[in-house]
Amino acid sequence: MYNFVLADGAVRWFFCFNFPFWFNLLLHGVLQKSYETKQYKKGLKAADAILKKFPDHGETLSMKGLTLNCMDRKTEAYELVRRGLKNDLKSHVCWHVYGLLYRSDREYREAIKCYRNALRIDPDNIEILRDLSLLQAQMRDLAGFVETRQQLLSLKPNHRMNWIGFSVAHHLNLNPSKAVEILEAYEGTLEDDYPPDNERYEHGEMLLYKVSLLEECGFYDRALDELRKKEAKIVDKLAYREQLVSLLVKAGQLEEAEKIYRALLAMNPDNYRYYEGLQKCVGLYSESGEYSPDEADRLNNLYKSLKVQYSWSSAVKRIPLDFLNGEMFREAADSYIRPFLTKGVPSLFSDLRPLYNCPEKVKILEKLFLELEASVGTTGRFPGSAQKEPPSTFMWTLFLLAQHYDRQGQYDIALAKIDQAIAHTPTVIDLYTVKGRILKHAGDLAAAAALADEARSMDLADRFINSECVKRMLQADQVGLAEKTAVLFTKDGDQHNNLYDMQCMWYELASGESYFRKNDLGRALKKFLAVEKHYADMTEDQFDFHSYCLRKMTLRSYVEMLRFQDRLHSHSYFHKAAVGAIRCYMKLYDSPAKLVNEDQDEMSKLPPSQKKKLKQKQRKAEARAKREAEEKNEDESSVAGVSKNTKRQHAKPVDPDPHGEKLLQVEDLLAEATKYLKLLQKNSSASVETHVLSFELNMRKHKILLAFQAVKQLLKLDPDSPDTHRCLILFFHKFDGFSSPVTDSEKLIWSVLEAERPTLRGLQNTSSLVEANKFFLDAHKDSLMHRAVAAEMLFVLDPERKLEAIKLVEESFMCGPISSPNGPSVGWKLKDCIAVHQLLGTVFADPDAASRWSTRCADHFPYSTYFRGVCSSAVVKPVDGNLNNAPENGGMEHCGASVRDSHSLNGNISSLKALNIQ
């Protein structure tokens, strides 16, 4: 029996009773060393030498397969490992290597099965137990993780990592009190002078972890005693103070906690958490952010005293703006804003944006901004100030005002202010960026993209401005131009794959949404699924930390990382990608023939001679693309070269499906969509959109109870939502149209639905769906989208009342003001008006009504390219009047306009040479 250490540091035992001792030691030593140093060809020679003498030796076959797996020869690897296992089923080495193969392919459940089979043969093998525990932590098999860690500890109790791992296992298994007991037992095995100097930090981290466990158990006094007793052994003093003050607040020792918070503020006076903790200590903290006048006065006095101490701090001046009101708010805002205008801080409005949730504060801010503009513009000074301001102050005041009016939806005034700022100082890039953002909000996405490109050309070395330009282009559906612009900041070579390697998810999402709007579902799916793959990679990336964090004792960060991973798929980017993928699959399901046979239909209209030419042209294009891809792959592999240790770097494989065509060739489209729906239901169950998709998908699959479950979830989350009402009416309209139940299961479903129906909100005290729809309309008659949904459901329930339903939509202009005197109202959004226009053109199929709606909306949204407003870039050329085919985001190919050709990728700054800064 011989001992060998593999590349991952684990020890493997090779049973070689039939080998001569010297032969086994020599050749297996070479094989093991070659595997460790990644000299795989040398290892293969050693394995072949053994197999030449003993061709059926199972362990050598398995090791050869493991070596081939590292050389990306997976088919041969699996074949050899299975042969080796077949020749030696009682070898734990063969089972272990088989598990390693599955683990390398992320088949963790199969790897666990192999490890368990290995442990049946050798139950006390520490290396296999350790590998098994890592997989159990990865798969969140917490009960098994505890059991395996306990076995490791019993086999090797003198190893610190086994004690810590056993404690963490209990903590993850929701038993923190047991985790504390294990750590205390471990501390009992240590000597008084422990730790040595080279382990002080790791030991201090373990002590802080123990205190956090006590805090999680609710033992605050005990945690405080432990923390104070072990203070000398804790190296991270900042973490010690933060943990101490947290325990003091929870234990009710507020006076002592206040002193520590003030000491922490002296170290970092811009940490908002410290101010929040200080407010808790003095009894002036509210979760809702609402305070009585007396509490506001006391808080104001507190921050005035802190401002004297930390006059350089921005946080101590910004926080009072959240709770002050009236004149005190105006004075505080004035003193806060002036220095930023003088310095020229572009992010000032972003800092003030949360205040716009309070209408009273918005009015005060607008009045204040106008006073500052008038004073600086006429006298060059702030009101009541004798100090002369630099000329740039006036420009930044106009910049702030433009963003203010943009936030209010008053785009005419916002554009006037930003144009005035540009005329004042035309070389400030932020002005063009903000103007593009205003035009985007106003609906002119093509002009917004052109302005973003102009800003980009003014500073070709700024990655952020380049990314902002790409984002605007994608919103305007200028995908080709956006790709060329995006790759300017990527490495040479396969640039689009470089964006994928960098996990640039905002780009992939925006690109996927643009392709979806252009009905290119293959490319859209490819982008959305790329984002999903990034999240799968993030989940896999945690694997290496299961052993690393236990070894380095970063236990608090490790547990926090695991909890973050558990809620990873609730992130907004994943939500958007999953929603986009589901909608692609449903759209493909609804019209597969049109999408698949679109090219064939076009070709059938051509004469035979042109068909032949077109087919030849397509074949040549495919062959050329294949040849270019192969040449590119060869070039990249040659450039990769050979590294210093004579290892050749592997070139990246060429994407076999760059346009996502294979993604469209799925046999069961709804089954694929269901995979992502389940992830949304698990991680985004509080989202209305999740349950709307569940309803739509399950109705297509004829899963009645699942669709009804989605309706109930919608009624629970937001019963007044237009989407909820649509799903409710559509479900029972479909249900009423079903034939009488025949089977027992159908009768049971029918009885459940009939019993639930009268209890649902929206259907209570109503005799019919038409009556329920009328009640919904009466309750929300001032809302555009509610009226549109009610009209749609009226048409669905009774197609004979189509004209009445259309009239109901068109009367929205009279029932609610669509605009304020200075621009569109924030209650009537451009995207809602676009949705209503598409409803009239598709569901109602009434081009005249859609045209009337478009004409009215063009007056209220003059910058919208979708509605061809008089101020938009869409009116540069004559309009063909065909709005039904207009892309939702009003791209340039839709409006036929020609915004100035500023899309030079190298930039064009010649227009700036003659500009003078005032």
Side-chain angles (χ1 to χ4, degrees):
M1 186 169 63
Y2 303 101
N3 172 2
F4 297 101
V5 182
L6 300 184
D8 56 359
V11 179
R12 311 287 183 244
W13 295 91
F14 291 79
F15 292 84
C16 308
F17 297 114
N18 297 326
F19 280 5
F21 176 78
W22 63 269
F23 188 77
N24 174 74
L25 187 63
L26 175 63
L27 290 180
H28 259 132
V30 173
L31 179 58
Q32 166 259 327
K33 185 176 180 181
S34 301
Y35 183 86
E36 269 188 352
T37 57
K38 299 183 180 181
Q39 297 178 357
Y40 301 125
K41 291 184 179 180
K42 188 176 180 181
L44 285 179
K45 290 182 180 178
D48 289 336
I50 298 174
L51 293 174
K52 188 174 182 180
K53 294 282 186 180
F54 305 94
D56 295 328
H57 187 247
E59 293 173 358
T60 305
L61 286 169
S62 297
M63 279 299 301
K64 181 179 179 182
L66 189 62
T67 304
L68 288 174
N69 182 63
C70 298
M71 301 173 69
D72 291 329
R73 294 163 63 180
K74 291 186 177 295
T75 304
E76 298 176 65
Y78 274 98
E79 183 181 348
L80 282 170
V81 171
R82 285 169 182 149
R83 273 183 56 201
L85 186 60
K86 183 178 180 181
N87 292 335
D88 196 353
L89 275 173
K90 293 185 178 180
S91 168
H92 70 275
V93 175
C94 294
W95 281 110
H96 194 181
V97 170
Y98 201 17
L100 290 174
L101 238 64
Y102 275 124
R103 193 185 79 176
S104 68
D105 289 337
R106 300 179 178 179
E107 296 286 346
Y108 295 138
R109 297 193 185 280
E110 295 298 322
I112 288 175
K113 292 178 184 178
C114 294
Y115 288 162
R116 290 194 181 280
N117 285 331
L119 288 172
R120 290 191 184 99
I121 301 166
D122 187 4
D124 294 336
N125 190 301
I126 292 177
E127 289 71 33
I128 301 176
L129 285 169
R130 186 180 298 126
D131 285 350
L132 176 61
S133 71
L134 299 180
L135 290 183
Q136 288 170 330
Q138 178 78 6
M139 300 301 295
R140 300 298 190 271
D141 178 14
L142 300 179
F145 186 39
V146 170
E147 180 183 349
T148 305
R149 275 294 165 188
Q150 183 176 11
Q151 193 173 353
L152 279 168
L153 180 60
S154 62
L155 289 172
K156 206 167 184 180
N158 60 342
H159 199 294
R160 179 186 69 181
M161 187 174 170
N162 291 337
W163 286 94
I164 302 303
F166 190 34
S167 175
V168 171
H170 276 289
H171 184 199
L172 296 177
N173 201 31
L174 304 180
N175 193 357
S177 58
K178 185 68 175 178
V180 173
E181 293 177 10
I182 295 167
L183 290 178
E184 288 178 341
Y186 167 67
E187 288 184 275
T189 65
L190 304 177
E191 299 178 358
D192 295 336
D193 59 348
Y194 190 87
D197 290 341
N198 62 338
E199 295 184 11
R200 289 186 66 238
Y201 186 84
E202 288 82 356
H203 186 68
E205 282 295 308
M206 188 270 289
L207 295 175
L208 287 171
Y209 175 65
K210 178 184 174 183
V211 171
S212 69
L213 288 173
L214 291 170
E215 182 181 15
E216 191 172 324
C217 294
F219 305 147
Y220 304 130
D221 294 333
R222 183 179 166 190
L224 281 170
D225 293 340
E226 180 73 16
L227 191 61
R228 285 166 172 156
K229 185 167 58 176
K230 301 294 177 61
E231 178 183 0
K233 294 186 176 182
I234 296 175
V235 178
D236 191 346
K237 296 303 180 183
L238 178 61
Y240 167 80
R241 289 190 179 188
E242 291 180 339
Q243 184 70 66
L244 177 62
V245 75
S246 174
L247 289 169
L248 288 171
V249 171
K250 292 179 179 179
Q253 302 180 28
L254 300 181
E255 292 184 3
E256 187 176 354
E258 180 183 350
K259 295 178 182 178
I260 298 177
Y261 269 124
R262 290 185 180 275
L264 288 170
L265 282 172
M267 298 169 59
N268 183 4
D270 284 315
N271 191 315
Y272 278 65
R273 289 189 298 109
Y274 296 163
Y275 289 104
E276 180 182 316
L278 182 60
Q279 287 181 217
K280 289 179 180 179
C281 292
V282 297
L284 295 173
Y285 179 74
S286 171
E287 291 286 347
S288 63
E290 298 178 358
Y291 299 92
S292 66
D294 179 60
E295 291 175 334
D297 288 338
R298 291 167 57 197
L299 265 179
N300 192 28
N301 293 331
L302 171 65
Y303 278 95
K304 282 182 178 178
S305 63
L306 292 171
K307 192 187 301 183
V308 173
Q309 292 179 266
Y310 314 115
S311 58
W312 65 91
S313 170
S314 175
V316 76
K317 302 169 187 175
R318 172 61 183 83
I319 294 175
L321 299 182
D322 293 328
F323 60 80
L324 292 177
N325 294 291
E327 186 60 28
M328 287 195 299
F329 169 78
R330 186 194 176 285
E331 293 176 359
D334 190 14
S335 62
Y336 180 73
I337 291 170
R338 290 188 183 191
F340 289 106
L341 293 178
T342 302
K343 294 178 182 178
V345 178
S347 61
L348 174 59
F349 183 77
S350 299
D351 189 15
L352 299 175
R353 186 179 289 117
L355 302 175
Y356 280 70
N357 294 325
C358 178
E360 295 180 359
K361 292 183 179 180
V362 173
K363 294 178 182 178
I364 295 173
L365 286 174
E366 181 174 330
K367 186 177 179 181
L368 174 61
F369 295 162
L370 291 173
E371 290 177 0
L372 293 174
E373 179 202 17
S375 179
V376 176
T378 55
T379 66
R381 299 178 178 84
F382 286 126
S385 174
Q387 183 178 356
K388 188 78 171 177
E389 293 295 321
S392 61
T393 302
F394 181 61
M395 182 269 295
W396 290 115
T397 306
L398 293 170
F399 181 76
L400 180 63
L401 261 174
Q403 295 176 88
H404 165 78
Y405 285 118
D406 177 39
R407 180 66 169 77
Q408 295 298 96
Q410 300 178 23
Y411 304 121
D412 287 330
I413 305 177
L415 287 170
K417 295 297 180 183
I418 200 66
D419 285 338
Q420 189 179 354
I422 291 174
H424 183 279
T425 313
T427 54
V428 177
I429 300 175
D430 297 283
L431 301 179
Y432 298 89
T433 303
V434 166
K435 184 175 181 180
R437 194 172 299 137
I438 295 170
L439 286 171
K440 172 222 170 188
H441 296 157
D444 196 342
L445 297 177
L451 274 166
D453 188 64
E454 183 174 353
R456 182 195 65 82
S457 66
M458 295 170 69
D459 188 353
L460 300 176
D462 194 313
R463 183 192 293 267
F464 170 78
I465 298 176
N466 188 80
S467 299
E468 183 85 359
C469 177
V470 171
K471 190 175 182 181
R472 294 286 173 262
M473 291 175 176
L474 290 173
Q475 290 167 348
D477 292 338
Q478 301 169 5
V479 184
L481 191 58
E483 289 181 352
K484 293 178 181 178
T485 307
V487 299
L488 292 175
F489 278 85
T490 60
K491 296 179 181 178
D492 294 334
D494 195 356
Q495 296 173 323
H496 293 111
N497 279 346
N498 186 253
L499 286 171
Y500 173 83
D501 294 338
M502 291 192 298
Q503 298 186 344
C504 192
M505 288 184 282
W506 68 264
Y507 170 80
E508 289 166 333
L509 284 173
S511 183
E513 290 166 0
S514 180
Y515 281 128
F516 183 81
R517 290 191 294 268
K518 295 162 76 71
N519 206 35
D520 190 345
L521 298 185
R523 283 188 171 98
L525 261 178
K526 191 170 184 66
K527 295 298 182 182
F528 290 137
L529 297 186
V531 176
E532 187 273 335
K533 179 66 167 57
H534 295 327
Y535 279 87
D537 291 340
M538 292 178 197
T539 301
E540 299 302 329
D541 288 343
Q542 66 177 304
F543 185 85
D544 295 332
F545 292 95
H546 296 312
S547 59
Y548 173 84
C549 292
L550 295 181
R551 188 170 67 251
K552 293 296 185 180
M553 300 292 283
T554 55
L555 305 177
R556 293 175 300 148
S557 300
Y558 175 59
V559 173
E560 185 179 352
M561 183 269 293
L562 292 180
R563 289 173 176 170
F564 166 76
Q565 288 283 352
D566 291 338
R567 62 178 186 273
L568 177 66
H569 288 84
S570 62
H571 192 272
S572 60
Y573 277 6
F574 178 81
H575 179 88
K576 292 177 182 177
V579 167
I582 293 171
R583 294 206 179 279
C584 284
Y585 284 123
M586 290 196 300
K587 191 171 183 179
L588 187 61
Y589 176 82
D590 292 338
S591 56
K594 179 181 177 182
L595 292 169
V596 174
N597 300 324
E598 192 175 34
D599 294 337
Q600 297 177 3
D601 293 341
E602 292 180 0
M603 187 177 294
S604 64
K605 299 176 184 178
L606 298 175
S609 59
Q610 292 187 12
K611 281 184 185 179
K612 185 177 181 180
K613 291 180 180 179
L614 183 60
K615 288 181 179 179
Q616 290 177 350
K617 186 176 180 181
Q618 288 176 348
R619 283 195 296 267
K620 288 181 180 179
E622 290 175 0
R624 184 170 59 253
K626 184 177 180 180
R627 185 171 61 254
E628 289 176 354
E630 291 175 352
E631 290 175 356
K632 186 176 184 182
N633 193 21
E634 291 176 1
D635 293 341
E636 288 181 357
S637 60
S638 62
V639 169
V642 180
S643 58
K644 292 181 180 179
N645 56 357
T646 70
K647 294 182 296 182
R648 192 175 186 83
Q649 299 177 359
H650 295 285
K652 295 180 181 178
V654 177
D655 187 355
D657 186 24
H659 303 312
E661 295 173 356
K662 294 181 180 179
L663 297 174
L664 301 178
Q665 301 170 3
V666 179
E667 292 184 3
D668 194 343
L669 295 165
L670 298 185
E672 289 295 318
T674 303
K675 295 179 183 178
Y676 300 102
L677 177 63
K678 288 180 178 179
L679 287 171
L680 288 180
Q681 289 174 324
K682 180 180 178 182
N683 299 283
S684 301
S685 58
S687 170
V688 170
E689 190 175 25
T690 296
H691 302 291
V692 171
L693 289 172
S694 175
F695 170 79
E696 294 178 359
L697 187 58
N698 286 303
M699 288 299 286
R700 286 172 171 83
K701 295 171 66 178
H702 305 291
K703 301 288 187 181
I704 302 301
L705 287 181
L706 291 177
F708 181 62
Q709 184 183 44
V711 172
K712 293 192 69 175
Q713 287 293 331
L714 286 169
L715 288 169
K716 182 179 178 181
L717 287 174
D718 190 357
D720 296 324
S721 168
D723 292 323
T724 300
H725 179 70
R726 179 190 288 112
C727 294
L728 177 67
I729 299 299
L730 285 177
F731 177 81
F732 282 103
H733 177 62
K734 185 79 171 177
F735 173 72
D736 293 340
F738 287 148
S739 58
S740 300
V742 178
T743 63
D744 292 339
S745 60
E746 289 178 350
K747 292 178 181 179
L748 180 60
I749 293 173
W750 255 245
S751 62
V752 169
L753 295 178
E754 289 294 350
E756 289 279 349
R757 184 170 183 166
T759 65
L760 297 176
R761 178 175 173 177
L763 298 181
Q764 296 172 343
N765 304 321
T766 59
S767 58
S768 66
L769 294 178
V770 175
E771 185 180 355
N773 190 53
K774 187 177 184 303
F775 284 163
F776 177 81
L777 174 62
D778 293 339
H780 308 92
K781 59 184 179 182
D782 293 333
S783 169
L784 172 61
M785 291 309 297
H786 287 81
R787 291 179 68 90
V789 168
E792 180 187 358
M793 293 302 100
L794 177 62
F795 175 62
V796 169
L797 295 172
D798 189 358
E800 297 296 329
R801 301 173 67 178
K802 174 181 175 180
L803 295 179
E804 181 183 346
I806 292 175
K807 183 179 178 182
L808 194 62
V809 174
E810 293 181 329
E811 287 177 350
S812 301
F813 282 92
M814 294 177 286
C815 296
I818 193 172
S819 62
S820 63
N822 295 320
S825 169
V826 293
W828 289 57
K829 298 179 181 178
L830 175 60
K831 66 176 183 179
D832 293 340
C833 292
I834 292 174
V836 172
H837 177 264
Q838 293 173 344
L839 176 70
L840 292 170
T842 55
V843 177
F844 289 103
D846 191 329
D848 294 335
S851 179
R852 292 194 299 271
W853 181 266
S854 176
T855 302
R856 291 185 179 184
C857 289
D859 296 335
H860 294 287
F861 298 99
Y863 293 94
S864 170
T865 51
Y866 183 89
F867 292 117
R868 303 187 184 276
V870 294
C871 299
S872 72
S873 57
V875 298
V876 175
K877 288 185 178 181
V879 182
D880 60 3
N882 184 10
L883 272 174
N884 290 329
N885 296 325
E888 181 178 344
N889 279 16
M892 293 304 294
E893 62 275 12
H894 146 56
C895 63
S898 177
V899 177
R900 70 164 188 87
D901 185 15
S902 64
H903 303 297
S904 171
L905 296 181
N906 293 325
N908 181 11
I909 60 172
S910 58
S911 59
L912 300 179
K913 293 181 179 178
L915 298 178
N916 294 321
I917 301 177
Q918 297 181 7

